């Protein structure tokens, strides 16, 4: 037993130790795989808290849990660059370990997200923000069909806690934002047919569609079970409940998506008939102690959606709403809103919007003793066939008796009586018969936010039509009020809706700070005073034709201490003082001073054709000439509208975007600015004209000081074709620090990287044009132009090119190089900078550039000829040269000429010697010295010794043969004589042969000596 317990204890200990250690062993490997896959596949920046990355077998044993904190994703795709698409406080994934080991079906037990923010955007062009994966550019050969994978992944459940979901579809346009979003779901999503169970709740929902807000601040709950048939793409509603605040709906039916078309057959109906549930949809009521409100009455609410939905077709739809004897009363108030009755039907059986019928058969309610009645029948959308009647009379003093408005006092009598019958269509020039009147008598508003009241509010407006646009009229007889003792009054009259004849006047004081305290504007600061006295009279057709002399417009608008700041304009706008005067043709700016963000401005000038611009005249272009002065203007403050992401993402420069220049603006800005900050440029004493016309911004004689020198610029920015924005530039720089030009101008960095190694001032002229990309950067392959660069004296510091040349030639004065009277001309062709031949003098050395090209990829290709005194070469090169020509026979050459080629990436250029010559050298003396050197060489002496030895041996052999012949003379006289002649002939042949060998060896020795001398010279110069 003890042994068993001991073994068991050890086994459990080992298991626990493995559970503890194994995740740590694989943690870095898994993290590395994740990082590598992100880098390969995601066109965006992914960040996360690497310290929080964890693997655990304890959290949900026996399952493996992977978790990470502070994770996020920012897009790098152009249209959404810098946008945070996803961020979460925590992400965790729980996986069945055994399913991973078996490998046939990976079971994900749970997915959890804490406080995620998910942003999905379709921009106006239809680009999708989540399209951030890199395209697969590899070309794969066709492969034989593979057997279907048996690998399956199943997810048991998932959960989102306190998230924020944003959907912005600018193509519709639709915007939805769900805050405090909680969601749970489960289902066997690996099956072909399964039930999907979900619960979703968001306590702050905003939904806007085509400029209309449908939900704002409501709580939305969806508790639904759907049956999903993936094979047939059928989604059926089973048990479900959808609620907005306390108003609950149930859905029946199905959605089928077998192809691009979406087939819908859905009915919906209110699950409860209590009027209070419908009342909860009214934000003003729901947010005021809704649970304590007394209610009564019943409702009916149902509808349908049936038909095909695709890009060209809408399904049919219908809605019915019935309210009977509705009633609500706040417990602390004496009056109730009662007798609320409504009968509304909306129907469009074929989904064609022009066939929509809206029939409000009845609407009646009594707000205390103030009745409101309405009836509307609208058949079709173009034209509208209208039969409507609205009648209301409300004593504003009574509002506080049936609705709590703490801190606000209302007084006055409001009345409305509208009758309309007939067809209306602006395009078809149809007008119904109308009699309408609205008035407010002795109005009074006082708020605790601003104790001074708006009083003596009196409004009278009348509209009338006998069914003819030409005889229809609208009269704003008066609109008067007094705010804190300051009066304001407005009148207007319009007749002939076909070609409006108008008269209008406005006079009084508007204190914006007081107005916004009474009527706050969310996320907006608006203060300032406006004193207006303006009148206008005319006919719209005359305005549209530009016949301003036939109109009467005059007056003035004086503005002081105006401040405007909002979420859309966080930089803020201030007008300390402004005086504007009106004539029929012009809007004169006598004075306008203030701040744009942090930048001050002082503007004078005028705008003409402002009425044609506002009312769509034949000439709808607004014209103007303005002079703007500023002590300091920071353009960078306006480069982007988007605030920096609050999530801890890597810092990154936000790119500029193409800004379209309106084609209906014709302005000339005469600038006089002491300092302008733009990108990384600091410009001072800027003067010149900026002209905006026909979708083009032009610069005329714009001069300023920057980077230590002076600039004179002309050019244009052209967005007439917004898909291909272009620019032209004509610029002259004088006395500009070369290094500063490199730091400031991207074009210099790209095309003349050597500028970063130049010390001194340069002059530069350039004329260039090309296209711009979507980030307002030049498309280098489209650049064309010409220019010149000059300098009286510069120092070219140690750099990759000169360093390579100096290392190769061992020159003393090459790196760095002092250059005097530099003059370079160049052209730009399809983005490549091509340098015309030019010479550089540095001391007694001369460098002639015979060909020069700087390419888009940062590479260079230069042919150069270096003419330098031999004394300028390094000691090693001089020694090699001396060894070649002899130490005393010949004097050193005066100049050495070396042809060089410089090629490759600028920071890794390869310098090679094409050829070398020695300039003015005594060639005869050099030849004689070389021959003398060869004759005195050991090789020559060795050859001569071999020749002498062969000759001696031949003579000795001849003597021996002669003695033998004389001894046998008598015996073989004739044979001896013949033999002697034979031997003499053989000896002569051998001598000739040895001489020939000697001549060959002598020639070989001479060639070898020459080669040795040449190698010595190359070794000295490192050719």
């Amino acid at each position: 037993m003890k042994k068993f317990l001991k073994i068991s204890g050890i086994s459990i200990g080992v298991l626990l130790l493995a559970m503890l250690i194994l995740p740590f062993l694989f943690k870095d490997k898994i993290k590395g795989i994740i990082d590598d896959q992100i880098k390969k596949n995601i066109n965006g920046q992914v960040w996360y808290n690497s310290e929080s990355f964890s693997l655990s077998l304890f959290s949900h044993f026996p399952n493996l849990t992977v978790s990470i904190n502070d994770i996020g994703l920012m897009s790098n795709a152009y249209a959404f660059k810098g946008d945070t698409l996803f961020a979460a406080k925590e992400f965790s994934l729980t996986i069945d370990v055994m399913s991973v080991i078996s490998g046939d079906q990976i079971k994900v037990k749970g997915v959890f997200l804490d406080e995620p923010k998910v942003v999905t955007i379709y921009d106006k062009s239809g680009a999708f923000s989540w399209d951030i994966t890199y395209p697969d550019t590899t070309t794969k050969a066709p492969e034989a069909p593979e057997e279907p994978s048996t690998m399956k992944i199943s997810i048991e459940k998932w959960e989102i806690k306190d998230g924020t979901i944003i959907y912005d579809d600018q193509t519709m346009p639709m915007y939805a934002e769900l805050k405090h979003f909680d969601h749970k779901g489960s289902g066997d999503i690996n099956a072909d047919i399964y039930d999907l169970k979900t619960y979703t709740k968001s306590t702050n929902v905003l939904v806007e569609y085509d400029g209309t807000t449908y939900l704002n601040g409501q709580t939305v709950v969806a508790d639904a079970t759907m049956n999903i048939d993936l094979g047939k793409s059928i989604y059926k509603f089973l048990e479900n409940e959808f609620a907005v605040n306390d108003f609950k709906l149930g859905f029946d039916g199905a959605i089928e998506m077998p192809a691009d078309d979406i087939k819908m057959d859905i009915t919906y109906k209110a699950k409860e008939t209590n009027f209070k549930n419908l009342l909860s949809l009214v934000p003003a009521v729901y947010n005021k102690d809704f649970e304590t409100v007394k209610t009564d009455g019943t409702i009916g609410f149902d509808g349908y959606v049936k038909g095909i939905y695709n890009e060209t077709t809408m399904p049919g739809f219908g809605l019915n709403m019935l309210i009977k004897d509705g009633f609500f009363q706040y417990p602390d108030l004496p009056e109730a809103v009662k007798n609320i009755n409504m009968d509304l039907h909306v129907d469009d059986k074929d989904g064609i919007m022009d066939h929509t019928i809206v029939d409000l058969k009845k609407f009646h309610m009594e707000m205390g003793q103030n009745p409101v009645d309405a009836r509307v029948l609208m058949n079709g959308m173009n034209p509208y066939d209208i039969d409507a009647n609205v009648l209301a009379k409300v004593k504003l003093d009574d509002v506080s008796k049936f609705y709590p408005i703490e801190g606000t006092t209302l007084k006055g009598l409001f009345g409305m009586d509208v009758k309309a019958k007939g067809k209306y269509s602006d395009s078809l020039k149809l007008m119904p018969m109308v009699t309408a009147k609205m008035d407010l008598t002795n109005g009074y508003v006082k708020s605790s936010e601003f104790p001074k009241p708006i009083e003596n509010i009196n409004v009278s407006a009348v509209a009338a039509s006998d069914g003819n646009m030409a005889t229809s009229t609208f009269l704003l007889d008066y609109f008067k009020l007094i705010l804190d003792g300051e009066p304001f009054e407005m009148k207007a009259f319009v007749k002939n809706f076909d070609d409006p004849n108008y008269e209008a006047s406005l006079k009084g004081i508007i204190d914006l700070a007081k107005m916004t305290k009474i009527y706050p504007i969310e996320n907006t600061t608006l203060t300032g005073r406006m004193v207006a006295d303006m009148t206008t009279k005319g006919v719209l057709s005359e305005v549209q034709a530009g016949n301003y002399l036939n109109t009467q417009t005059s007056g003035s608008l004086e503005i002081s201490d105006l401040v405007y700041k909002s979420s859309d304009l966080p930089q803020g706008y201030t007008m300390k003082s402004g005086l504007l005067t009106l004539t029929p043709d012009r809007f004169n700016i006598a004075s306008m001073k203030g701040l744009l963000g942090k930048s001050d401005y002082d503007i004078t000038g005028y705008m003409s054709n402002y009425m044609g611009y506002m009312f769509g005249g034949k000439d709808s272009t607004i014209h103007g000439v303005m002079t703007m002065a500023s002590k300091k203007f920071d353009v960078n403050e306006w480069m982007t509208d988007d605030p920096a992401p609050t999530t801890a993402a890597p810092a990154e420069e936000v790119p500029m975007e193409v800004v379209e220049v309106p084609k209906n603006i014709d302005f000339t800005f005469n600038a006089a600015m002491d300092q302008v900050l733009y990108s990384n440029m600091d410009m001072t004493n800027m003067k010149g004209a900026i002209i905006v016309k026909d979708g083009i911004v032009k610069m005329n004689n714009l001069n300023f000081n920057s980077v230590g020198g002076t600039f004179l610029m002309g050019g244009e920015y052209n967005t007439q074709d917004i898909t291909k924005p272009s620019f032209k530039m004509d610029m002259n720089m004088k006395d500009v620090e070369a290094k500063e030009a490199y730091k400031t101008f991207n074009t210099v960095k790209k095309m003349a990287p050597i500028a970063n190694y130049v010390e001194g001032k340069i002059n530069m002229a350039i004329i260039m044009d090309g296209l711009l990309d979507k980030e307002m950067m030049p498309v280098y392959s489209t650049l064309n132009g010409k220019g010149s660069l000059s300098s009286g004296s510069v120092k070219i510091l140690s750099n990759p090119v000169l360093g390579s040349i100096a290392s190769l030639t061992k020159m003393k004065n090459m790196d760095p190089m002092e250059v005097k009277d530099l003059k370079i001309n160049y052209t730009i062709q399809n983005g490549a900078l091509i340098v015309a031949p030019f010479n550089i003098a540095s001391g007694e050395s001369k460098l002639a550039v015979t060909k020069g090209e700087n390419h888009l990829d940062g590479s260079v290709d230069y042919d150069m000829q270096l003419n330098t005194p031999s004394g300028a070469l390094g000691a090693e090169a001089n020694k090699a040269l001396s060894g070649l020509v002899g130490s005393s026979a010949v004097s050193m050459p005066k100049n050495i000429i070396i042809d060089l080629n410089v090629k490759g990436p600028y920071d890794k250029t390869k310098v090679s010697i094409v050829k070398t010559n020695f300039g003015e050298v005594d060639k005869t003396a050099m030849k004689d010295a070389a021959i003398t050197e060869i004759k005195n060489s050991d090789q020559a002496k060795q050859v001569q010794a071999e020749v002498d030895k062969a000759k001696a041996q031949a003579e000795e052999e001849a003597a021996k043969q002669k003695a033998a012949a004389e001894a046998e003379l008598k015996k073989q006289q004739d044979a001896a004589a013949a033999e002697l002649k034979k031997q003499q002939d053989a000896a002569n042949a051998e001598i000739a042969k040895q001489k020939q060998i000697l001549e060959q060896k002598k020639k070989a020795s001479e060639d070898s000596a020459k080669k040795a001398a040449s190698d010595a010279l190359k070794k000295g110069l490192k050719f």
Side-chain angles (χ1 to χ4, degrees):
M1 179 61 73
K2 289 182 179 180
K3 185 177 181 180
F4 172 76
L5 293 174
K6 185 177 180 180
I7 294 173
S8 299
I10 293 173
S11 301
I12 293 171
V14 170
L15 178 61
L16 290 174
L17 185 62
M19 291 170 63
L20 184 65
I21 293 176
L22 285 176
F24 286 96
L25 294 178
F26 291 100
K27 173 181 174 181
D28 290 339
K29 184 176 181 180
I30 293 174
K31 178 179 175 295
I33 293 172
I34 292 172
D35 290 341
D36 183 61
Q37 290 301 312
I38 289 172
K39 185 177 180 180
K40 287 180 179 178
N41 297 292
I42 302 298
N43 183 19
Q45 297 184 49
V46 178
W47 69 92
Y48 56 87
N49 183 351
S50 58
E51 297 298 323
S52 70
F53 183 82
S54 67
L55 297 172
S56 174
L57 285 167
F58 287 101
S59 299
H60 300 90
F61 181 77
N63 303 310
L64 176 66
T65 299
V66 183
S67 64
I68 193 166
N69 295 341
D70 302 325
I71 185 172
L73 167 63
M74 180 186 291
S75 173
N76 275 345
Y78 160 69
F80 309 98
K81 190 167 186 178
D83 289 348
T84 298
L85 305 181
F86 171 80
K89 182 179 179 180
E90 179 187 352
F91 168 75
S92 66
L93 187 70
T94 301
I95 305 172
D96 186 325
V97 175
M98 297 308 297
S99 73
V100 177
I101 295 173
S102 64
D104 59 343
Q105 180 173 351
I106 297 177
K107 295 180 181 179
V108 178
K109 308 293 287 187
V111 179
F112 175 72
L113 281 170
D114 187 20
E115 295 185 24
K117 180 177 181 180
V118 183
V119 181
T120 301
I121 303 173
Y122 287 91
D123 69 10
K124 292 180 180 178
S125 67
F128 180 43
S129 62
W130 281 90
D131 188 8
I132 55 172
T133 55
Y134 290 115
D136 186 0
T137 57
T138 59
T139 303
K140 297 181 180 179
E143 298 179 356
E146 296 182 358
E147 291 295 325
S149 174
T150 58
M151 174 68 72
K152 297 179 181 179
I153 298 177
S154 65
I155 302 176
E156 290 188 3
K157 62 181 180 179
W158 53 92
E159 181 178 359
I160 297 174
K161 180 182 177 183
D162 197 17
T164 298
I165 311 297
I166 295 175
Y167 178 82
D168 184 3
D169 189 340
Q170 299 169 19
T171 63
M172 297 183 70
M174 176 182 176
Y175 180 86
E177 184 173 326
L178 289 76
K179 295 181 179 179
H180 306 297
F181 179 86
D182 294 324
H183 174 81
K184 293 181 180 180
S186 63
D188 185 6
I189 63 173
N190 195 48
D192 291 333
I193 300 175
Y194 64 95
D195 287 348
L196 177 66
K197 298 180 180 180
T198 62
Y199 176 84
T200 306
K201 182 177 181 180
S202 177
T203 59
N204 189 341
V205 177
L206 172 66
V207 177
E208 297 176 346
Y209 178 77
D210 199 17
T212 301
T213 300
Y214 290 91
L215 296 175
N216 188 1
Q218 281 84 352
T219 295
V220 174
V221 178
D223 188 356
T225 300
M226 296 187 71
N227 177 260
I228 298 176
D229 185 337
L230 291 177
K232 297 180 180 179
S233 294
I234 298 176
Y235 304 83
K236 294 180 180 179
F237 289 96
L238 301 179
E239 297 179 5
N240 61 84
E241 182 175 280
F242 181 84
V244 180
N245 290 342
D246 286 355
F247 182 65
K248 300 175 182 179
L249 288 173
F251 288 82
D252 286 309
I255 298 173
E256 298 182 33
M257 294 187 290
D260 292 337
D261 290 346
I262 300 175
K263 184 178 179 181
M264 308 174 76
D265 188 357
I266 301 170
T267 60
Y268 56 90
K269 185 176 183 180
K271 284 203 165 188
E272 297 182 13
T273 60
N274 193 324
F275 173 69
K276 186 173 185 177
N277 298 105
L278 181 63
L279 189 66
S280 72
L281 296 179
V282 182
V285 177
Y286 188 73
N287 295 331
K288 292 284 187 181
D289 302 319
F290 181 72
E291 295 301 325
T292 65
V293 176
K294 299 177 183 178
T295 65
D296 197 3
T298 59
I299 64 166
F301 186 89
D302 61 68
Y304 72 93
V305 179
K306 186 173 183 178
I308 303 297
Y309 175 81
N310 55 34
E311 292 184 356
T312 59
T313 304
M314 291 280 290
F317 60 91
L319 179 149
N320 302 301
M321 180 182 289
L322 182 68
I323 303 175
K324 186 175 181 182
D325 298 329
F327 167 96
F328 72 90
Q329 182 179 15
Y330 287 88
D332 298 330
L333 298 181
E335 298 283 353
V337 178
K338 56 189 177 182
N339 292 332
I340 305 172
N341 288 275
M342 183 172 74
D343 189 0
L344 171 65
H345 302 272
V346 178
D347 199 27
D348 188 338
K349 289 184 172 56
D350 55 14
I352 299 174
M353 295 305 293
D354 285 348
H355 297 171
T356 303
I357 298 172
V358 178
D359 187 3
L360 178 61
K361 294 182 178 181
K362 178 181 181 181
F363 178 83
H364 174 84
M365 71 175 177
E366 297 168 11
M367 298 182 292
Q369 304 303 315
N370 303 275
V372 176
D373 287 280
R375 178 186 55 80
V376 177
L377 173 62
M378 185 175 71
N379 193 340
M381 292 290 181
N382 189 23
Y384 297 90
D385 193 348
I386 299 173
D387 185 358
N389 184 9
V390 179
L391 180 63
K393 204 166 192 70
V394 179
K395 189 177 181 182
L396 298 181
D397 307 57
D398 291 344
V399 172
S400 60
K401 295 178 181 179
F402 57 79
Y403 183 76
I405 48 173
E406 295 89 350
T408 301
T409 302
L410 298 178
K411 295 181 182 179
L413 182 62
F414 173 80
M416 176 183 287
D417 187 356
V418 178
K419 294 183 178 66
K421 188 175 180 62
K423 294 182 183 294
Y424 172 79
S425 171
D426 185 56
S427 60
L428 299 175
K429 304 298 182 183
L430 299 176
M431 187 75 184
M433 292 186 292
V434 175
T435 58
K437 181 178 181 181
M438 184 190 75
D439 54 60
L440 174 60
T441 305
N442 296 325
Y444 177 98
V445 179
K446 184 177 179 181
S447 169
S448 58
E449 297 294 326
F450 184 71
K452 299 294 183 180
I454 303 177
E455 52 190 339
N456 293 343
I457 308 171
N458 288 278
V459 181
S460 177
V462 177
S465 173
D466 58 1
N468 187 336
M469 279 196 168
T471 57
S472 299
T473 61
F474 169 78
L475 171 65
L476 176 61
D477 197 18
Y478 51 80
F479 176 88
K480 299 179 181 180
L481 61 84
I482 297 175
L483 174 58
D484 194 16
E486 297 176 334
F488 177 81
E489 181 177 356
M490 184 169 62
K491 295 181 179 181
F493 176 67
V494 178
K495 65 179 180 180
N496 186 0
F497 287 6
D498 194 20
D499 183 15
N501 289 241
Y502 63 87
E503 295 181 35
S505 65
L506 185 152
K507 185 176 183 178
I509 299 171
I510 302 173
D511 192 314
L512 298 172
K514 297 175 183 177
M515 294 294 292
T516 53
K517 283 185 178 180
I518 299 169
Y519 301 107
I521 305 174
E522 187 176 359
N523 299 321
T524 299
T525 299
L526 181 59
T527 63
R529 286 172 59 85
M530 295 189 293
V531 180
D533 188 359
M534 296 181 288
T535 62
T536 182
K537 182 178 181 179
V539 179
L540 182 60
S541 60
E542 296 284 359
V543 173
Q544 293 174 332
N547 300 324
Y548 301 116
L549 294 179
N550 296 336
T551 66
Q552 299 175 28
T553 303
S554 62
S556 64
L557 179 64
E558 188 174 353
I559 304 170
S560 60
D561 298 322
L562 175 66
V563 177
Y564 177 77
K565 185 181 288 188
S566 70
S567 55
D568 294 328
L569 191 74
Q571 302 92 336
Y573 169 76
T574 300
M575 188 188 300
K576 288 295 292 180
S577 63
L579 177 59
L580 315 175
T581 60
L582 292 176
T583 68
D585 181 47
R586 287 192 175 190
F587 193 117
N588 297 299
I589 305 172
S591 174
M592 188 182 292
K593 298 179 180 180
L595 296 172
L596 281 166
K598 300 174 184 176
S599 306
D600 68 285
Y601 66 87
D602 186 346
I603 297 175
T604 58
Y606 71 87
M607 288 181 284
S608 63
N609 194 40
Y610 66 94
M611 296 183 74
Y613 176 78
M614 288 189 297
F615 297 113
K618 184 178 181 181
D619 177 11
S620 61
T621 300
I622 188 168
H623 307 270
V625 176
M626 297 184 186
T627 298
M628 178 175 174
S630 176
K631 294 180 180 178
K632 182 177 181 180
F633 201 93
D634 187 354
V635 180
N636 296 323
E637 191 180 6
W638 302 89
M639 298 289 264
T640 177
D641 295 329
D642 300 325
T646 56
T647 313
E652 179 187 6
E653 181 181 348
V654 178
M656 298 188 338
E657 296 183 5
V658 174
V659 178
E660 185 173 8
V661 181
K663 296 181 177 64
N664 60 345
I665 292 181
D666 179 3
F667 273 6
T668 297
F669 294 93
N670 295 306
M673 303 183 182
D674 295 343
Q675 183 182 19
V676 176
L677 303 176
Y678 174 74
S679 188
N680 58 345
M681 290 186 70
D682 185 351
M683 299 172 278
T684 59
N685 301 320
M686 177 180 284
K687 292 187 171 92
I690 300 174
I691 301 169
V692 182
K693 186 176 182 179
D694 299 329
I696 302 173
V697 177
K698 293 184 178 180
M699 293 182 292
N700 280 354
N701 297 322
L702 190 67
N703 59 83
F704 55 88
N705 300 328
S706 186
V707 292
T710 61
F711 289 72
L712 177 62
M713 292 188 69
E716 68 177 44
Y717 165 61
N718 189 328
T719 62
Q720 288 182 325
D721 183 353
I722 192 61
T723 63
K724 294 181 179 179
S726 63
F727 78 98
K728 292 181 181 179
M729 181 176 68
D730 183 352
M731 179 174 68
N732 277 279
M733 301 188 302
K734 290 186 177 180
D735 297 327
V736 173
E737 291 289 345
K739 279 190 174 183
E740 294 300 318
Y742 174 86
K743 293 176 184 177
T744 304
F745 300 105
N746 284 324
T747 305
V748 175
K749 285 184 181 179
K750 197 82 172 177
M751 293 189 166
I754 196 172
N756 192 36
Y757 303 95
V758 176
E759 194 174 81
K761 294 188 175 182
I762 59 173
N763 304 317
M764 184 176 179
I766 183 171
I767 298 173
M768 183 169 61
D769 60 61
L771 300 179
L772 297 169
D773 63 19
K774 293 181 178 180
E775 295 181 1
M776 293 281 283
M777 297 299 294
V779 179
Y780 289 98
S781 61
T782 68
L783 299 184
N784 291 282
K786 62 182 180 178
S788 65
L789 185 146
S790 63
S791 177
S793 176
V794 293
K795 184 176 183 180
I796 304 177
L797 304 177
S798 180
N799 66 83
V801 175
L802 288 185
S804 298
I805 295 174
S807 176
L808 188 66
T809 63
K810 304 300 181 184
M811 286 190 65
K812 304 172 184 176
N813 62 347
M814 180 62 68
D815 187 15
M817 177 184 282
E818 299 278 354
V819 179
K820 304 287 186 182
D821 301 323
L822 178 67
K823 176 71 174 179
I824 302 173
N825 295 316
Y826 58 86
T827 59
I828 301 171
Q829 298 178 12
N830 300 323
L833 188 144
I834 302 172
V835 178
F838 67 94
N839 298 321
I840 296 176
S842 179
E844 296 183 16
S845 299
K846 294 180 181 178
L847 185 65
V849 177
T850 57
K851 182 192 81 172
E853 295 181 5
N854 287 35
H855 298 284
L856 292 174
D857 57 4
S859 65
V860 297
D861 187 358
Y862 276 70
D863 288 340
M864 304 177 181
Q865 188 176 80
L866 176 64
N867 189 328
T868 184
S870 58
L873 297 175
E876 199 173 328
N878 282 316
K879 181 179 178 181
L881 184 61
S882 298
L884 173 65
V885 301
S887 61
S888 59
V890 179
S891 61
M892 291 285 289
K894 181 179 180 182
N895 291 300
I896 294 177
I897 301 172
I898 305 173
D899 288 352
L900 302 166
N901 176 258
V902 180
K903 197 169 187 178
Y906 182 77
D907 55 348
K908 295 180 181 178
T909 51
K910 181 180 179 182
V911 180
S912 58
I913 293 177
V914 179
K915 66 178 181 178
T916 306
N917 62 70
F918 298 100
E920 298 176 0
V921 179
D922 188 340
K923 297 180 180 178
T924 302
M926 178 177 279
K927 179 180 179 182
D928 293 342
I931 293 172
T932 301
E933 182 71 19
I934 290 170
K935 285 182 177 181
N936 294 330
S937 68
D938 292 339
Q939 288 176 316
K941 291 178 180 179
Q942 183 179 353
V943 171
Q944 188 61 48
E946 290 177 357
V947 172
D948 292 343
K949 181 179 179 180
K951 184 177 179 181
Q953 289 175 347
E955 289 175 352
E956 183 180 355
E957 182 67 24
K960 286 180 180 181
Q961 293 295 332
K962 183 178 178 182
E966 289 175 352
E968 296 182 8
L969 179 61
K970 292 181 180 180
K971 186 177 179 179
Q972 300 178 346
Q973 187 174 7
D974 293 338
E979 182 65 23
L980 178 62
K981 187 177 184 305
K982 180 179 178 181
Q983 292 295 328
Q984 286 178 338
D985 291 341
N988 290 333
E990 180 66 20
I991 291 171
K993 179 180 178 181
Q994 292 298 327
K995 285 183 178 181
Q996 184 178 3
I997 292 172
L998 177 64
E999 291 296 329
Q1000 289 175 346
K1001 289 185 177 181
K1002 183 178 179 181
K1003 186 175 184 302
S1005 177
E1006 289 174 351
D1007 292 343
S1008 177
K1010 290 179 181 180
K1011 185 175 184 302
S1014 178
D1015 290 345
L1017 179 58
K1018 289 184 178 180
K1019 181 179 180 182
L1021 294 177
K1022 293 189 178 178
F1023 287 2

